[in-house]
Amino acid sequence: MKRSISVLGSTGSIGRQTLEVAAACGHRVEALSVNRSVELAEQQARQFRPRLVVAADESAAADLRIRLADTGTKVLGGTQALCEAAVLPEADTVVTAVVGIVGLRPTLAAIDAGKRIALANKETLVCAGELVMARAKEKGVDIVPVDSEHSAIFQCLQGSRGRHEVRKLIITASGGPFYGKSCKELSLVTKEQALKHPNWAMGAKITIDSATLMNKGLEFIEAMRLYELPPEQIEIAVHRESIVHSLVEFVDGAILAQLGTADMRVPIQYALTWPERTEGPATPLDLFSCKPLTFTRPDVETFRCLGLALECARKGGNSTAVLNGANEAAVALFLDDRISFVDIPRLVEGALERVPFLEHPMLDDVLAADKAARAAVYELLR
Ligand code: MG
């Protein structure tokens, strides 16, 4: 199965690994989008010769236009142009590897254009999961997850005859770099420590989310939306070894798990080739040299971000968009050395208290909730 793909966020961690998979497996790259990493974008464009490269940053686009003048690749600038890359007629699959709610509009555009979505942008489902899933159903579009946990669940569900056979999903969590630390110890951690994930090499935003465990909370909400299950049927298990990527328990008591090394190229590749499997570049797990597998319950008191996310998962409405927007703003402040690690949940909680709750938000309400949450974070900071 060869796909023609458009990669949104091609210079990020998932984007770069998507291109590795494309090169190894012979998928054609039709479009790339970047934020402002022009040098890498140029390199990627020269290697893959896409029809279109989009830079969200206008001045980066102007620079790229000069750099790629000899190639015949079209260059567009601005966040609106992300949607152009998402609907390019020559691509049958869109890999949404951008970080944050910025992925929402292009994902919806790609769904409307009938593309397969290889979903690597969890914030989209967290903020507007019901809207996105309803639109995909209406258009008959497949959303295949790239996130390792959701891909594991997706793989375990192959061969299942429906949700009535599923008792619960068990999402595994590495626990992050601060596993076992007390609240007091967390108040002293530095940015450098937070950026060092024990098992996975990822972008800065998701690495911080993994340290606060917000990432697991976002993944919990993502799983609810993707698999249309209530929060009572989803569980989180801390699994320090990151070998079992997640599990599904069925009504007869059988539990299926997907195992592997911590290599994102496996779920990326599966999102492209599903329902088929093909040869790929990943190194398989060596069962005889892997560590013993352990599972424990997460500490939602100490890791307040996870506790807040689970509360929002139960509450629903616009609260998940507020949670996500406030978290995006707070993590950016932390990466900018403006706040401490434990300020992240404080600001998110403050934003959740300030932004009015709305039970059935439409797209505009979701975007408004996101904006209000960010504004609340800046206000609380002052
Ligand atoms: Mg994940």
Side-chain angles (χ1 to χ4, degrees), residues 122 146-150 172 200 202 206 215-216 219 222 264:
K122 66 189 64 164
V146 166
D147 210 343
S148 62
E149 295 80 0
H150 304 78
T172 54
W200 295 92
M202 305 175 289
I206 186 173
N215 184 54
K216 213 44 60 178
E219 288 181 353
E222 184 185 5
M264 285 307 294

Short mmCIF file of all heavy atoms in Angstrom, two decimals, residues 122 146-150 172 200 202 206 215-216 219 222 264, ligand 1:
data_model
loop_
_atom_site.label_atom_id
_atom_site.label_comp_id
_atom_site.label_asym_id
_atom_site.label_seq_id
_atom_site.Cartn_x
_atom_site.Cartn_y
_atom_site.Cartn_z
N LYS A 122 -3.00 15.65 19.05
CA LYS A 122 -4.04 15.26 20.01
C LYS A 122 -4.90 16.42 20.45
O LYS A 122 -6.06 16.25 20.79
CB LYS A 122 -3.40 14.55 21.21
CG LYS A 122 -2.51 15.41 22.07
CD LYS A 122 -1.77 14.59 23.10
CE LYS A 122 -0.82 13.62 22.47
NZ LYS A 122 0.18 13.03 23.33
N VAL A 146 -1.89 8.24 15.44
CA VAL A 146 -0.44 8.07 15.40
C VAL A 146 0.13 8.00 16.82
O VAL A 146 1.12 7.32 17.07
CB VAL A 146 0.22 9.23 14.61
CG1 VAL A 146 1.72 9.27 14.84
CG2 VAL A 146 -0.10 9.08 13.12
N ASP A 147 -0.52 8.68 17.76
CA ASP A 147 -0.08 8.65 19.15
C ASP A 147 0.12 7.17 19.54
O ASP A 147 -0.72 6.34 19.25
CB ASP A 147 -1.17 9.28 20.02
CG ASP A 147 -0.61 9.96 21.26
OD1 ASP A 147 0.55 9.67 21.62
OD2 ASP A 147 -1.34 10.77 21.86
N SER A 148 1.26 6.85 20.16
CA SER A 148 1.61 5.43 20.35
C SER A 148 0.54 4.67 21.14
O SER A 148 0.22 3.53 20.82
CB SER A 148 2.96 5.33 21.05
OG SER A 148 2.90 5.90 22.33
N GLU A 149 -0.04 5.32 22.17
CA GLU A 149 -1.04 4.65 22.99
C GLU A 149 -2.31 4.36 22.19
O GLU A 149 -2.89 3.28 22.27
CB GLU A 149 -1.40 5.51 24.21
CG GLU A 149 -0.26 5.73 25.19
CD GLU A 149 0.73 6.80 24.76
OE1 GLU A 149 0.53 7.40 23.67
OE2 GLU A 149 1.70 7.05 25.49
N HIS A 150 -2.73 5.35 21.42
CA HIS A 150 -3.98 5.20 20.67
C HIS A 150 -3.80 4.27 19.49
O HIS A 150 -4.72 3.56 19.11
CB HIS A 150 -4.48 6.58 20.25
CG HIS A 150 -4.64 7.48 21.44
ND1 HIS A 150 -3.55 8.09 22.02
CD2 HIS A 150 -5.70 7.79 22.19
CE1 HIS A 150 -3.97 8.76 23.09
NE2 HIS A 150 -5.26 8.59 23.20
N THR A 172 -1.28 3.16 28.85
CA THR A 172 -0.07 3.14 29.67
C THR A 172 0.60 4.51 29.67
O THR A 172 0.47 5.29 28.72
CB THR A 172 0.93 2.07 29.19
OG1 THR A 172 1.19 2.28 27.81
CG2 THR A 172 0.40 0.68 29.42
N TRP A 200 11.31 8.48 25.75
CA TRP A 200 10.94 8.95 24.41
C TRP A 200 11.66 10.25 24.08
O TRP A 200 11.78 11.13 24.93
CB TRP A 200 9.43 9.21 24.33
CG TRP A 200 8.54 8.02 24.48
CD1 TRP A 200 7.99 7.57 25.65
CD2 TRP A 200 8.07 7.13 23.45
NE1 TRP A 200 7.22 6.46 25.40
CE2 TRP A 200 7.24 6.17 24.07
CE3 TRP A 200 8.26 7.08 22.06
CZ2 TRP A 200 6.60 5.16 23.35
CZ3 TRP A 200 7.63 6.07 21.35
CH2 TRP A 200 6.81 5.11 22.00
N MET A 202 11.10 13.53 22.10
CA MET A 202 9.93 14.22 21.53
C MET A 202 10.18 15.71 21.50
O MET A 202 11.18 16.20 22.00
CB MET A 202 8.69 13.92 22.38
CG MET A 202 8.41 12.44 22.58
SD MET A 202 7.03 12.14 23.71
CE MET A 202 7.75 12.62 25.28
N ILE A 206 5.41 18.55 24.16
CA ILE A 206 4.91 17.25 24.63
C ILE A 206 5.83 16.67 25.72
O ILE A 206 5.37 15.95 26.60
CB ILE A 206 4.71 16.26 23.45
CG1 ILE A 206 4.06 14.95 23.95
CG2 ILE A 206 5.98 15.97 22.71
CD1 ILE A 206 3.67 14.00 22.87
N ASN A 215 0.08 15.29 29.50
CA ASN A 215 0.02 14.51 28.26
C ASN A 215 -0.90 13.30 28.42
O ASN A 215 -1.69 13.00 27.53
CB ASN A 215 1.43 14.07 27.84
CG ASN A 215 1.42 13.35 26.51
OD1 ASN A 215 0.91 13.86 25.52
ND2 ASN A 215 1.95 12.14 26.48
N LYS A 216 -0.81 12.63 29.57
CA LYS A 216 -1.65 11.45 29.78
C LYS A 216 -3.11 11.85 29.92
O LYS A 216 -4.01 11.15 29.47
CB LYS A 216 -1.15 10.67 30.99
CG LYS A 216 -1.33 9.20 30.92
CD LYS A 216 -0.95 8.56 29.59
CE LYS A 216 0.49 8.76 29.18
NZ LYS A 216 0.80 8.07 27.89
N GLU A 219 -4.34 12.53 26.52
CA GLU A 219 -4.51 11.25 25.82
C GLU A 219 -5.77 10.52 26.30
O GLU A 219 -6.43 9.83 25.53
CB GLU A 219 -3.27 10.37 26.01
CG GLU A 219 -2.09 10.90 25.21
CD GLU A 219 -0.84 10.05 25.35
OE1 GLU A 219 -0.82 9.12 26.17
OE2 GLU A 219 0.12 10.32 24.61
N GLU A 222 -8.45 12.24 24.47
CA GLU A 222 -8.31 11.84 23.05
C GLU A 222 -8.91 10.43 22.85
O GLU A 222 -9.65 10.19 21.89
CB GLU A 222 -6.82 11.84 22.68
CG GLU A 222 -6.52 11.54 21.22
CD GLU A 222 -5.01 11.42 20.93
OE1 GLU A 222 -4.20 11.47 21.88
OE2 GLU A 222 -4.65 11.26 19.75
N MET A 264 8.44 5.71 17.35
CA MET A 264 7.21 6.25 16.79
C MET A 264 7.01 5.89 15.33
O MET A 264 5.92 6.07 14.78
CB MET A 264 7.20 7.79 16.95
CG MET A 264 6.92 8.27 18.36
SD MET A 264 5.42 7.57 19.08
CE MET A 264 4.15 8.28 18.03
MG MG B 1 1.48 9.25 23.54
#
